[in-house]
Amino acid sequence: MDRATILIVDDEISNIEIINAALEDSYEICFATSGEEAIKLARTVLPDLILLDVLMPGMDGYEVCRTLKDDRLLADVPIIFTTGLDGLDAEARGLSLGAIDYVTKPIAPRLLSARVRNHIELKRLRDQLAEMAVTDSLTGLSNRRRLQQTLDAETARLARSGDWLSVIMIDIDFFKLFNDTYGHPVGDRCIAMVASVLNRAVRRASDLTARYGGEEFACVLPEAELDAAMAVARDIQAQVRSLGIPHTASAISSYVTVSVGVATARCLPGMAPELWIKQADHQLYLSKSAGRDRVVGGIFDTASAAG
């Protein structure tokens, strides 16, 4: 099992050293000495838990916590406040902002270690349940809920740099006729085999493959320009052909084929993530209208749609 990553945020290096000594044997440790630095680092390393000092110059711990909880990438990261403040009001304020625990200074290493261990285990259990909730049981791909979560997160992340995002929509051609001819169990096996193609064709760790519904699939390709996305789409098309799944009821081939639509654009602040699905679905419609078993794609202009 990979070691969890803990982000320590404190403007006093001596406090960071004490906490690091208590946790370094069990976790990967990174640290920041200001609120602004903590937010930037958190967005880069995506820690499993944050130990956050309350009293810091400039941006204090409460403001950092509020900013992190407003960030879709970091909202679910558990935060434990560490502070010399003593009193129910300070603790209640921290918990009301979304922190899960409160540890007072001076730090008791054994107590801190136990609390961190418990919260990391709880997070892993929550992550496992969340993974089950966003996985399609037939194919093992992500489901539509995970697709939406990924689009939300990636459009927000990429909008900060104005980078590219591509979405691919895939539909198995004449699948209703396939089910009518061969039966639903064979149809399920066909869907699972096409899903395996997506896993082979979409290789980057940052990419996502999902079953969109029925015989439709979707891929999210962050930082992929149109040419790169089209290459992936054509690879999917070719690999599905090479499966050689018989489809005698198809109007275009003796074997199972797919129609593919690709939509690419630069992410801008305020863009609705659903726009990429809408545009990719439109390209898929054009692919079907042109005769199926083909890839159609294009770049769409997001500037006029930005909020």
Side-chain angles (χ1 to χ4, degrees):
M1 183 182 295
D2 293 339
R3 301 211 314 173
T5 298
I6 309 293
L7 171 58
I8 305 169
V9 186
D10 201 302
D11 62 311
E12 293 287 342
I13 295 297
S14 59
N15 290 329
I16 293 175
E17 290 173 342
I18 292 170
I19 296 173
N20 181 68
L23 302 176
E24 64 179 344
D25 289 343
S26 301
Y27 308 103
E28 299 295 329
I29 304 296
C30 54
F31 66 90
T33 55
S34 71
E36 293 82 2
E37 182 187 0
I39 291 168
K40 291 179 182 177
L41 187 57
R43 286 171 175 161
T44 301
V45 304
L46 299 179
D48 295 286
L49 183 143
I50 299 172
L51 291 163
L52 178 58
D53 185 26
V54 172
L55 297 179
M56 294 185 293
M59 194 177 195
D60 67 16
Y62 295 130
E63 188 175 352
V64 173
C65 182
R66 186 181 298 108
T67 301
L68 292 172
K69 292 302 176 183
D70 286 341
D71 190 313
R72 286 180 292 192
L73 281 174
L74 301 167
D76 293 332
V77 177
I79 295 172
I80 299 177
F81 274 123
T82 61
T83 181
L85 294 175
D86 189 12
L88 293 178
D89 289 344
E91 184 172 353
R93 183 181 177 190
L95 296 176
S96 70
L97 290 173
I100 58 167
D101 209 343
Y102 214 88
V103 176
T104 56
K105 297 176 183 177
I107 298 295
R110 289 179 61 188
L111 177 61
L112 175 66
S113 180
R115 290 192 174 189
V116 167
R117 182 176 62 251
N118 289 342
H119 287 303
I120 288 293
E121 287 303 314
L122 286 171
K123 182 180 185 295
R124 282 187 170 141
L125 287 172
R126 288 196 302 270
D127 288 348
Q128 289 172 5
L129 290 172
E131 185 65 28
M132 292 171 62
V134 295
T135 301
D136 177 65
S137 59
L138 174 62
T139 64
L141 300 181
S142 298
N143 64 14
R144 197 161 175 167
R145 181 185 298 180
R146 166 63 66 79
L147 174 69
Q148 186 61 58
Q149 291 173 350
T150 300
L151 277 174
D152 289 347
E154 290 297 343
T155 50
R157 180 179 72 87
L158 296 172
R160 289 195 283 268
S161 58
D163 213 332
W164 293 96
L165 175 68
S166 292
V167 169
I168 302 173
M169 296 289 290
I170 304 109
D171 187 79
I172 301 175
D173 294 323
F174 302 107
F175 188 71
K176 183 181 184 304
L177 293 175
F178 184 92
N179 266 342
D180 291 343
T181 303
Y182 299 101
H184 288 279
V186 179
D188 285 349
R189 287 198 294 274
C190 175
I191 287 172
M193 292 175 73
V194 172
S196 71
V197 164
L198 267 63
N199 279 330
R200 291 193 297 271
V202 182
R203 303 183 184 93
R204 299 184 309 168
S206 60
D207 297 338
L208 177 95
T209 56
R211 186 181 180 192
Y212 192 67
E215 71 276 17
E216 277 194 302
F217 302 87
C219 307
V220 179
L221 310 180
E223 300 168 354
E225 296 187 35
L226 181 62
D227 288 349
M230 291 290 284
V232 171
R234 293 190 182 103
D235 188 21
I236 291 170
Q237 180 196 26
Q239 286 199 47
V240 170
R241 285 176 180 168
S242 70
L243 291 173
I245 304 171
H247 190 352
T248 57
S250 171
I252 57 169
S253 173
S254 300
Y255 301 97
V256 166
T257 59
V258 291
S259 298
V260 188
V262 182
T264 302
R266 286 191 181 277
C267 294
L268 299 174
M271 293 305 307
E274 293 79 10
L275 189 58
W276 272 262
I277 293 292
K278 178 181 178 182
Q279 294 292 329
D281 199 50
H282 176 66
Q283 297 295 335
L284 177 59
Y285 169 79
L286 294 178
S287 174
K288 291 179 178 180
S289 299
R292 292 183 167 87
D293 187 24
R294 66 193 65 220
V295 176
V296 176
I299 296 173
F300 65 96
D301 181 19
T302 59
S304 60

